[in-house]
């Protein structure tokens, strides 16, 4: 009888311990779902997918144009809840409170909480090379006190042919050939495209970063280094008035001077001057280029708050309605922001038709990402091309193209979209034409 009683007691206590363990396990599982967002994301993705499929929401170009809504000023709801803006970007020339890279988001530069907790479902961080900024301060000096690279020493291929003058696609393809600074996949950098997704899908299909590595030598190339030094001159929040310092103006002019020594920009000048669009005087042409890309104009209801360079290459975050990213079509900006932990790559967008799937060699990508927690549902970018090449093709399309320009760039059929804001570039970006 005593043994029976003891057995019943043990069974009872054993069962109680098992119940406790089950409750603990359920508690831990629920907490993991809350921290990672797995449970809520799953439910929301189903409803989002159903909703968009019912409305035929599967056209990449339409989504891209919705992302460039500066033309209409309307706001499209994002499919992820935006994060609040924690910092003000009021300009102060002395303290540089507007400095996007050095002040406002510096708390996100890899500083981990030292409290023993680890975020569940955190994406693994890959090692990135960060650009040396030592020489950047020299770019703000007066133009005649700066050192530039040598001029292109040959004229072969820089003079547009008659065929190229009559065919914009051939001219743009010629610029691709003249991009001597374009990087080589696998030699200069490595990317990991992850998995593909539809535009309306919100699941993160990339286990890690887009860029696995980038050669340190790239940031020593003159046009690349000068381009990168310009990226931190802007307040990314749309509608905030920019205050450009005299040093930054010198930095802008020095960038134009540097790229004007390259083959793509020399070809661009000869092409436009032969059409009578720009002066044959190269100094006048450089001043025109500085004005076209860096003069401020209004966006988001505030005058002097944006420019072609800021929108196309740096990117902006819309503040009215739901937050969303607009512009941001440059791969160098993407790499640097990803290295700082501000960009979260979500995967590539599947081709609308049965096109080729991107791999490590692909240099025209359509992707989805978050920038400081704000979604860019679809964005196109040319990977590894030089700054002078992008400036050249978008300038050429602005002066001689239409809103949509179906052309070929090397092996890629591309629709280069170029939108105007009066006599300025409102937006310009490539879309895979497949």
């Amino acid at each position: 009888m005593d043994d029976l009683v003891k057995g019943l007691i043990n069974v009872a206590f054993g069962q109680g311990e098992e119940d406790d363990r089950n409750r603990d396990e359920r508690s831990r599982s629920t907490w993991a779902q809350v921290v990672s967002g797995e449970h809520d994301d799953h439910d929301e993705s189903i409803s989002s997918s159903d909703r968009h499929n019912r409305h035929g929401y599967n056209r990449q170009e339409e989504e891209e144009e919705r992302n460039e809504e500066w033309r209409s000023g309307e706001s499209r709801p994002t499919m992820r809840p935006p994060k609040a803006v924690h910092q003000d970007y009021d300009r102060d020339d002395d303290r540089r409170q507007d400095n996007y890279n050095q002040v406002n988001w510096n708390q996100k530069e890899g500083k981990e909480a030292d409290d023993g907790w680890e975020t569940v479902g955190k994406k693994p961080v890959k090692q990135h090379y960060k650009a040396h900024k030592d020489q950047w301060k020299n770019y703000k000096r007066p133009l005649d006190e700066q050192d530039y690279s040598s001029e292109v020493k040959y004229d072969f291929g820089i003079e547009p042919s008659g065929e190229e003058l009559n065919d914009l696609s051939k001219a743009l393809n010629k610029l691709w050939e003249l991009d001597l600074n374009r990087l080589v996949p696998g030699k200069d950098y490595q990317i990991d495209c992850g998995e593909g997704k539809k535009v309306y899908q919100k699941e993160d299909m990339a286990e890690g970063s887009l860029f696995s590595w980038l050669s340190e030598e790239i940031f020593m190339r003159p046009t690349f280094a000068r381009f990168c030094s310009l990226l931190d001159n802007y307040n990314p929040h749309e509608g905030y008035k920019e205050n450009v310092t005299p040093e930054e103006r010198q930095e802008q002019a020095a960038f134009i001077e540097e790229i004007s020594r390259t083959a793509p920009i020399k070809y661009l000048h000869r092409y436009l001057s032969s059409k009578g669009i720009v002066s044959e005087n190269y100094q006048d042409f450089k001043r025109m280029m500085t004005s076209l890309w860096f003069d401020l104009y209004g966006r988001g209801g505030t005058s002097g708050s944006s420019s072609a360079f800021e929108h196309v290459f740096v990117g902006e975050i819309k503040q009215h309605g739901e937050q969303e990213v607009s512009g941001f079509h440059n791969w160098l900006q993407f790499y640097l922001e990803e290295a700082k932990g501000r960009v979260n790559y979500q995967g590539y967008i599947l081709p609308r038709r049965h096109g080729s799937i991107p791999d490590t060699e692909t240099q025209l990508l359509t992707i989805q990402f978050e920038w400081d927690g704000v979604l860019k549902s679809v964005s196109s970018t040319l990977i590894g091309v030089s700054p002078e090449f992008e400036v050249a093709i978008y300038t050429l399309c602005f002066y001689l193209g239409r809103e949509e320009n179906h052309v070929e760039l090397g092996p890629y059929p591309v629709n280069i979209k170029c939108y105007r804001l009066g006599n300025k570039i409102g937006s310009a970006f490539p879309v895979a034409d497949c």
Side-chain angles (χ1 to χ4, degrees), residues 19 52 60 87-88 98 105 107 169 172 177 179-180 183 202 210 219 248 257 268 294 330 345 358 365 390 401 408 414:
D19 288 344
H52 289 287
Q60 177 180 325
Q87 305 285 342
D88 290 331
D98 59 300
W105 286 354
Q107 70 272 18
S169 181
L172 292 167
E177 296 174 7
D179 188 14
L180 307 179
L183 307 190
K202 64 180 295 185
L210 174 61
F219 295 102
E248 289 172 347
E257 174 63 37
L268 171 69
F294 293 104
N330 179 259
Y345 175 60
L365 283 180
E390 287 199 273
E408 289 187 2
V414 183

Side-chain angles (χ1 to χ4, degrees), residues 66 89 107 112 148 171 182 238 275 366 383 398:
R66 286 188 178 95
Y89 283 81
Q107 70 272 18
E112 298 290 340
Y148 301 97
R182 185 170 63 250
E238 186 181 285
K275 295 279 190 178
T366 305
I383 305 292
F398 174 76

Side-chain angles (χ1 to χ4, degrees), residues 53-109:
N53 281 330
R54 283 198 300 270
H55 289 83
Y57 194 82
N58 59 358
R59 296 191 60 193
Q60 177 180 325
E61 286 185 354
E62 290 179 1
E63 182 63 18
E64 181 65 39
E65 293 197 19
R66 286 188 178 95
N67 271 348
E68 302 297 339
E69 287 162 348
W70 56 266
R71 294 181 295 163
S72 62
E74 296 176 356
S75 177
R76 177 184 59 80
T78 61
M79 283 161 276
R80 283 184 185 266
K83 292 186 178 180
V85 179
H86 300 292
Q87 305 285 342
D88 290 331
Y89 283 81
D90 294 337
R91 289 279 185 169
D92 183 311
D93 291 343
D94 294 325
R95 296 180 61 195
R96 300 290 298 162
Q97 289 180 340
D98 59 300
N99 191 306
Y100 169 67
N101 283 338
Q102 297 174 4
V103 178
N104 289 292
W105 286 354
N106 59 6
Q107 70 272 18
K108 301 178 193 281
E109 301 242 13

Side-chain angles (χ1 to χ4, degrees), residues 52-228:
H52 289 287
N53 281 330
R54 283 198 300 270
H55 289 83
Y57 194 82
N58 59 358
R59 296 191 60 193
Q60 177 180 325
E61 286 185 354
E62 290 179 1
E63 182 63 18
E64 181 65 39
E65 293 197 19
R66 286 188 178 95
N67 271 348
E68 302 297 339
E69 287 162 348
W70 56 266
R71 294 181 295 163
S72 62
E74 296 176 356
S75 177
R76 177 184 59 80
T78 61
M79 283 161 276
R80 283 184 185 266
K83 292 186 178 180
V85 179
H86 300 292
Q87 305 285 342
D88 290 331
Y89 283 81
D90 294 337
R91 289 279 185 169
D92 183 311
D93 291 343
D94 294 325
R95 296 180 61 195
R96 300 290 298 162
Q97 289 180 340
D98 59 300
N99 191 306
Y100 169 67
N101 283 338
Q102 297 174 4
V103 178
N104 289 292
W105 286 354
N106 59 6
Q107 70 272 18
K108 301 178 193 281
E109 301 242 13
K111 296 180 180 178
E112 298 290 340
D114 189 19
D115 56 5
W117 288 88
E118 180 179 354
T119 304
V120 178
K122 182 179 178 181
K123 182 176 288 190
V125 177
K126 296 183 179 179
Q127 294 298 317
H128 290 273
Y129 172 77
K130 293 187 178 181
H132 292 303
K133 299 182 180 181
D134 296 342
Q135 75 272 29
W136 290 7
K137 60 185 178 183
N138 296 325
Y139 299 160
K140 298 181 185 293
R141 293 160 51 193
L143 300 184
D144 58 358
E145 296 180 12
Q146 299 196 36
D147 295 324
Y148 301 97
S149 59
S150 301
E151 297 269 358
V152 174
K153 290 182 170 54
Y154 61 90
D155 288 337
F156 176 75
I158 295 178
E159 194 68 41
S161 68
E163 190 177 20
E164 290 161 5
L165 288 170
N166 292 324
D167 190 329
L168 182 63
S169 181
K170 286 183 169 58
L172 292 167
N173 197 52
K174 182 67 176 196
L175 286 169
W176 177 270
E177 296 174 7
L178 291 174
D179 188 14
L180 307 179
N181 258 339
R182 185 170 63 250
L183 307 190
V184 178
K187 176 179 178 291
D188 297 315
Y189 69 92
Q190 187 79 39
I191 60 172
D192 180 0
C193 296
E195 299 296 327
K197 63 194 303 185
K198 294 291 187 180
V199 171
Y200 56 80
Q201 291 177 308
K202 64 180 295 185
E203 297 89 351
D204 189 344
M205 303 298 290
E207 293 184 357
S209 305
L210 174 61
F211 283 90
S212 301
W213 56 266
L214 179 64
S215 171
E216 297 184 9
E217 177 269 336
I218 301 307
F219 295 102
M220 304 304 292
R221 298 187 186 185
T223 60
F224 284 74
R226 289 187 185 274
F227 178 87
C228 290

Side-chain angles (χ1 to χ4, degrees), residues 292-293 297 308 312 394 398 418-419 421 423-428:
L292 176 67
W293 281 98
Y297 53 70
V312 174
Y394 296 145
F398 174 76
C418 188
Y419 299 119
L421 276 179
N423 61 347
K424 300 296 181 184
I425 297 174
S427 187

Side-chain angles (χ1 to χ4, degrees), residues 13 105 201 224 277 323 326 332 349 379:
F13 279 116
W105 286 354
Q201 291 177 308
F224 284 74
I277 294 173
Q323 284 186 313
S326 63
L332 272 168
I349 301 299
S379 181

